[in-house]
Amino acid sequence: MSCDEKKIPEYPLTQIYFYLTEGCNLKCRHCWLAPKYHSAENPLPVLKPELFQRIIRQAKAMGLSGLKLTGGEPLLHPQIHELLETVRAEELRLTVETNGVLCTSELAKQIAGCKNPFVSVSIDGADADTHEWVRGVKGCFEAAKEGIRNLVKAGLKPQMIMSVMKHNEDQITDVVKMAESLGCASVKFNIVQPTARGTALHENGQVLSIQELVELGKWVEHTLSAKTKLSLQYSHPPAFKPLSKICRNGGGCGICGILGIIGVLPDGSFALCGIGETVPELIFGNAATDPLEEVWNKTLVLKELRQGLPENLGGICKECIMKKVCLGNCIAMNYAGSKNLWAPFWYCEEARKAGLFPASRVRS
Amino acid sequence: MENEKLIANPTIVLREEFDDWAVLFDPDTGNAYGMNPVSVFVWKHLDGNHALEDIEKKLRAECKNVPDDAGVFIKEFIADLVAKGLAGHKFQNA
Ligand code: SF4
Ligand code: SF4
């Protein structure tokens, strides 16, 4: 694994994904990270506010413009108010990914006071039974809805995220209606990934087949989208998206931001993303001991990615004409499943094998 | 310049899709560009026989609800194609 220093393009660090808590207050069946269950009796480690602030100070000098707070569950962090105050004072664009359960009106107002805040809340069913079957904790449905109401009252228009599986696929339309009635701006449909707890769902046949997923994507993007004022996003890779959804002004397409992002885990480790919690090879030092600039500029894996993406991608990604905008969808997930940085994304590989990969999106 | 005939770079591949959008793909660089239906119409007329104003006239004749500022869009789109090396002005013998 050698890198030619001169040929590696430089990338500013524009975004940090903070995985604030090692635990989570829910036990979702499909969770791609599988955090331990956090309760009053069993509190789990969280990112220290001093480290959070130190990382932000260092990153701002390197180009940081925004950050994402995620988990586990970010709002579970006992000093979340202090962290949000730092984000506000540093004028960083804020994204929060939450299960909504702990989103009080006070927190919602504080989030709304940050720069360009964007909040997504996970809802996996249109009724308590379905949502709580997926999320594993009684009472979390009403609590999440209350969290959304608090966000809306604070002037935000959250995104609802639904992870689609066999158990809830018949509730997609009702979830969109619920998002409309609660005041959300958009709904995103996530595909269950075969990592961490999602692996068991895949093995037990509780996820949709690749044929069903591809068909569902078309239906969401063409039929369901036409029936609602909300923006609907289906999380399949760009090769499956209509160009009208991924291109601006009919001109060029946006470039994936992965090469400008680093993840920070609850113990202060730097990682490619939260998947570092289960894939130690993708951890690059710790904020307590290592300067961020050194990690960003000297970590071999990051250099390899900058030099090799997207050309070194294998399988269907090698053949795909969207690879410059997609960069293999999620390198960390591809690696977790294969231990190969250049492995193709499972969804596109399965689609190709089933003859479902769009012919207009391959080289020849 | 605006009366010069325009021609698409012959190495570029046009991949039309079900919804009248299309991808322009450059096999040499691996770059892909998404094009909306108006851009596709323009691209198909970069055949060395049409200048910018001919293309605008044809668009107005053949398509409904063409916006007033379509000419500006076409001009900018062509300038972008030329800048990216995807199209050029046809060489005219004196
Ligand atoms: S999916 Fe999110 S809310 Fe559910 S267990 Fe995982 S981290 Fe927690
Ligand atoms: S084949 Fe690879 S590069 Fe292409 S859309 Fe799928 S994941 Fe992205």
Side-chain angles (χ1 to χ4, degrees):
Chain A
M1 287 200 304
S2 74
C3 287
D4 180 343
E5 297 279 346
K6 286 187 212 111
K7 284 190 195 149
I8 302 173
E10 283 184 11
Y11 287 89
L13 172 61
T14 56
Q15 282 278 327
I16 299 182
Y17 291 178
F18 283 101
Y19 298 83
L20 292 181
T21 65
E22 219 173 275
C24 186
N25 55 340
L26 300 186
K27 306 174 191 169
C28 308
R29 289 173 191 259
H30 61 290
C31 184
W32 67 292
L33 292 174
K36 294 193 194 86
Y37 183 59
H38 174 112
S39 62
E41 305 74 51
N42 182 32
L44 290 157
V46 298
L47 183 69
K48 292 193 180 94
E50 316 80 89
L51 282 187
F52 182 76
Q53 284 146 9
R54 185 188 302 174
I55 294 165
I56 287 177
R57 268 199 307 276
Q58 294 179 18
K60 277 192 85 175
M62 299 165 61
L64 186 74
S65 59
L67 52 80
K68 177 153 91 180
L69 302 183
T70 178
E73 168 51 41
L75 305 187
L76 192 59
H77 195 295
Q79 284 106 11
I80 186 67
H81 290 286
E82 186 181 338
L83 305 187
L84 286 170
E85 176 49 27
T86 303
V87 177
R88 189 199 62 75
E90 295 290 349
E91 296 183 14
L92 293 163
R93 263 185 299 104
L94 173 66
T95 301
V96 181
E97 276 179 357
T98 172
N99 58 43
V101 169
L102 301 170
C103 190
T104 59
S105 60
E106 203 189 348
L107 269 174
K109 279 183 207 148
Q110 215 188 343
I111 292 169
C114 293
K115 186 176 172 184
N116 294 342
F118 179 83
V119 185
S120 52
V121 181
S122 306
I123 294 282
D124 291 329
D127 57 52
D129 280 351
T130 309
H131 178 78
E132 289 168 13
W133 181 89
V134 178
R135 300 240 144 210
V137 173
K138 273 265 161 255
C140 71
F141 181 66
E142 281 307 324
K145 278 171 68 179
E146 190 56 24
I148 293 176
R149 284 190 201 101
N150 288 335
L151 290 163
V152 173
K153 269 188 233 144
L156 293 165
K157 287 191 169 292
Q159 176 177 76
M160 197 176 268
I161 299 190
M162 176 184 191
S163 292
V164 183
M165 55 194 84
K166 287 217 154 115
H167 194 79
N168 64 8
E169 62 169 322
D170 59 342
Q171 300 205 348
I172 290 177
T173 308
D174 288 338
V175 165
V176 172
K177 283 186 192 145
M178 189 168 100
E180 282 169 348
S181 71
L182 286 171
C184 295
S186 59
V187 183
K188 186 171 164 201
F189 298 99
N190 275 352
I191 291 158
V192 175
Q193 302 298 331
T195 54
R197 287 189 211 132
T199 313
L201 286 188
H202 273 257
E203 285 168 1
N204 299 338
Q206 288 171 306
V207 294
L208 304 187
S209 69
I210 192 68
Q211 285 84 353
E212 289 166 329
L213 286 168
V214 170
E215 280 310 308
L216 183 61
K218 287 184 194 156
W219 179 74
V220 167
E221 280 168 340
H222 301 293
T223 308
L224 191 57
S225 283
K227 292 184 182 160
T228 174
K229 284 198 204 98
L230 302 190
S231 153
L232 302 187
Q233 292 155 34
Y234 188 78
S235 297
H236 52 182
F240 293 85
K241 288 189 193 298
L243 290 164
S244 55
K245 291 244 174 200
I246 49 178
C247 297
R248 286 173 253 122
N249 311 322
C253 297
I255 300 284
C256 170
I258 186 69
L259 294 171
I261 298 170
I262 201 164
V264 175
L265 305 186
D267 66 355
S269 303
F270 295 113
L272 196 58
C273 80
I275 220 154
E277 291 186 59
T278 47
V279 186
E281 310 91 281
L282 297 183
I283 289 182
F284 323 128
N286 190 292
T289 48
D290 304 305
L292 176 55
E293 193 166 3
E294 206 163 286
V295 170
W296 185 248
N297 291 326
K298 299 203 170 148
T299 298
L300 195 58
V301 174
L302 295 179
K303 289 206 252 184
E304 267 196 278
L305 288 176
R306 287 167 202 157
Q307 196 175 36
L309 270 179
E311 291 313 322
N312 291 357
L313 288 167
I316 182 66
C317 294
K318 191 168 196 63
E319 299 301 314
C320 174
I321 66 171
M322 305 308 288
K323 67 183 173 187
K324 286 199 177 181
V325 289
C326 171
L327 304 181
N329 197 67
C330 179
I331 293 295
M333 205 164 313
N334 299 349
Y335 181 87
S338 65
K339 301 291 169 196
N340 169 8
L341 265 188
W342 310 114
F345 186 43
W346 66 271
Y347 184 100
C348 293
E349 271 299 314
E350 279 196 23
R352 172 168 68 171
K353 282 181 201 142
L356 296 167
F357 196 86
S360 62
R361 305 289 174 95
V362 277
R363 283 184 79 98
S364 50
Chain B
M1 286 290 274
E2 287 183 22
N3 294 326
E4 284 183 28
K5 311 284 187 203
L6 294 148
I7 189 153
N9 178 340
T11 64
I12 307 298
V13 182
L14 177 75
R15 294 274 174 77
E16 292 183 77
E17 302 206 333
F18 65 96
D19 54 1
D20 296 334
W21 282 63
V23 188
L24 271 191
F25 178 61
D26 181 344
D28 292 338
T29 62
N31 289 332
Y33 306 92
M35 293 204 298
N36 67 22
V38 175
S39 309
V40 176
F41 182 93
V42 174
W43 178 261
K44 287 183 173 171
H45 288 83
L46 304 183
D47 53 4
N49 297 320
H50 296 87
L52 199 150
E53 58 184 36
D54 307 326
I55 297 173
E56 186 184 346
K57 264 188 220 149
K58 270 200 123 173
L59 181 72
R60 292 194 185 285
E62 291 179 27
C63 304
K64 285 184 200 142
N65 303 324
V66 177
D68 290 346
D69 61 354
V72 179
F73 171 81
I74 295 172
K75 197 171 170 182
E76 285 173 3
F77 174 62
I78 289 174
D80 193 36
L81 291 176
V82 172
K84 289 187 170 104
L86 302 174
H89 297 277
K90 191 180 171 190
F91 180 75
Q92 316 249 348
N93 285 327

